[in-house]
Amino acid sequence: NIIICNKPAGLAVQKDFKNKENVLNDQLLFYLFEKGEYLPGNDSAFTPSICNRLDRNTSGIVLFGKNFRAVQELNAVIKNRKIDKFYLTLVVGVLKDEGSIEAYHLKENKNNKAEIFAENKDQSKKIITKYKTLSKSEKYSLAEVELITGKTHQIRAGFQFIKHCVVGDKKYGDLAVNRYFKEKFDFDNQFLHAYKVVFNDFDGFFGYLSGKEFFAPLDEKKKKIAVDLFGEGSVLF
C-alpha cells in the first residue's frame, strides 16, 4: 500500500515552478512502473502520490501511497496527527537537555520565509516543537525534534527564534557557521533529517502498521560531522 522512502538532501519532493525535472514523486512513479504496479493512462482518475512534504534540502522519511485508498488514508492519518514524526538536527549553541518551542507562526508568502513571534499576531498560528538533546559540545548540539504542529519551516524558523540556528540553513541560519561547515566538511545543506515515523495505535486500513516505527539512517556526510563533533557514540542511527 505504501512506500517509505529515505530522501537525500538536494532532491525536490514534487514539481513546482523551481523544480520541474527529476523530482522524487516522479522517481517513485517510475519505480512502480518498472515493477508493473502502475500503468500511466490505465486509470486517468488516480495517480500514486507522496503524502508528506520535506524541503528540498531536508533529508529523510517521505511517505508515498501506491493506490487510491492508501493515499486517502495516509492523508487522513497525517492530518489527524496519528503519525508521529521525529527529526535529527544539528544546531548552533548549547541546548537545554530538553525543551519545547511554543510560539506563533506566520508564513511570508512573498519570499517563502516564515516569521515566528512570541505573541499572537493577526493570522498567525500557534506552533509547538519539542526537542531532546542527544549530544552537545561547547558550540553545537545534536537534538531529536518532534513536531507537535506542522507549519512551513517550523523547525528551522523555530530554532532561529530561540537563537539556535540549524547548521547549514541558508534561509534562517548563521552565514559564518555555514561557511565553516562548507570549508571543513564540504557540507552545503541544512543538517535536518526526518529520521523516524511512528504509526500510533489505530484500526482500519492501516491497522497492520499499528504501533510500528520506521527509521531512516543519516547519510555518511552527516554521520561524519556528528562523529567529529561528538564522538563515535553520538551516531545511533
Side-chain angles (χ1 to χ4, degrees), residues 27 144 159 212:
Q27 291 183 14
E144 177 191 78
F159 275 99
K212 293 189 182 298

Side-chain angles (χ1 to χ4, degrees), residues 91-94 136-141:
V91 301
V92 178
V94 182
K136 50 185 157 181
S137 67
E138 292 181 356
K139 294 183 178 180
Y140 304 103
S141 301

Side-chain angles (χ1 to χ4, degrees), residues 57 156 166 168-173 175 178 187-190:
N57 289 320
R156 298 160 58 195
V166 173
D169 190 338
K170 296 181 178 68
K171 191 180 288 280
Y172 302 96
L175 294 178
N178 294 352
F187 184 69
D188 201 28
N189 284 305
Q190 59 216 24

